[in-house]
């Protein structure tokens, strides 16, 4: 199923969202890094890259937006940054949230590369 992509409040802070698609257990977002992404300023001058902390923030942001995640951050595990995300790059972000475990799995990837992945845990606010 294809979902609509509402505009971001501040597009300089997020990748261009090309197409979100629902899967059986989560969502896959097709994204493109804009050349004028605010996080490139000072990170780094010769070759601007998307910082790892920003990739984690994007995963949480899109999980809140598309998967209804409302819980508070607890901790992360198995977070790996394997390849750089650069200006004008196209890629996908796969998100899967397991509410019973309060666990968000994220994976930034393309057909030929995995850029980063990991698990983010949240506090169960229903207790």
């Amino acid at each position: 199923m294809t979902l609509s992509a509402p505009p971001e409040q501040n597009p300089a802070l997020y990748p261009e969202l090309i197409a979100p698609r629902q899967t059986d257990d989560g969502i896959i977002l097709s994204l493109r890094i804009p050349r004028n992404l605010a996080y490139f300023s000072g990170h780094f001058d010769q070759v601007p890259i998307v910082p790892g902390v920003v990739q984690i923030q994007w995963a949480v942001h899109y999980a809140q937006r598309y998967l209804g995640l409302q819980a508070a951050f607890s901790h992360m595990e198995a977070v790996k940054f394997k390849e750089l995300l650069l200006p004008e790059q196209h890629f996908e972000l796969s998100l899967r949230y397991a509410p019973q475990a309060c666990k968000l799995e994220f994976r930034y990837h393309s057909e030929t590369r995995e850029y980063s992945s990991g698990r983010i845990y949240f506090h169960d606010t229903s207790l």
Side-chain angles (χ1 to χ4, degrees):
M1 171 162 69
T2 302
L3 305 171
S4 64
E8 292 295 346
Q9 298 243 334
N10 188 346
L13 299 178
Y14 296 94
E16 176 188 351
L17 182 53
I18 298 165
R21 341 186 269 287
Q22 194 76 44
T23 65
D24 289 341
D25 60 352
I27 192 162
I28 299 174
L29 307 170
S30 294
L31 304 165
R32 185 188 68 78
I33 305 282
R35 186 161 292 288
N36 65 341
L37 186 70
Y39 300 110
F40 289 150
S41 178
H43 205 272
F44 294 95
D45 293 334
Q46 302 299 342
V47 179
I49 64 170
V50 177
V53 68
V54 172
Q55 294 175 46
I56 292 166
Q57 188 272 331
W58 286 347
V60 172
H61 169 78
Y62 288 117
Q64 290 170 336
R65 181 178 239 184
Y66 290 103
L67 302 178
L69 176 64
Q70 297 297 317
F73 176 84
S74 172
H75 65 281
M76 297 181 294
E77 69 179 21
V79 176
K80 296 181 174 85
F81 300 100
K82 299 177 180 180
E83 297 280 338
L84 300 177
L85 285 175
L86 306 168
E88 304 296 324
Q89 198 159 19
H90 290 260
F91 59 95
E92 292 186 330
L93 170 57
S94 296
L95 297 171
R96 187 171 69 199
Y97 184 62
Q100 317 84 318
C102 294
K103 174 177 70 173
L104 174 66
E105 295 178 8
F106 71 91
R107 187 172 151 247
Y108 289 87
H109 58 94
S110 67
E111 287 184 22
T112 59
R113 289 196 165 113
E114 183 165 298
Y115 299 100
S116 62
S117 63
R119 294 183 293 272
I120 305 170
Y121 289 84
F122 297 87
H123 294 287
D124 185 352
T125 56
S126 66
L127 298 176

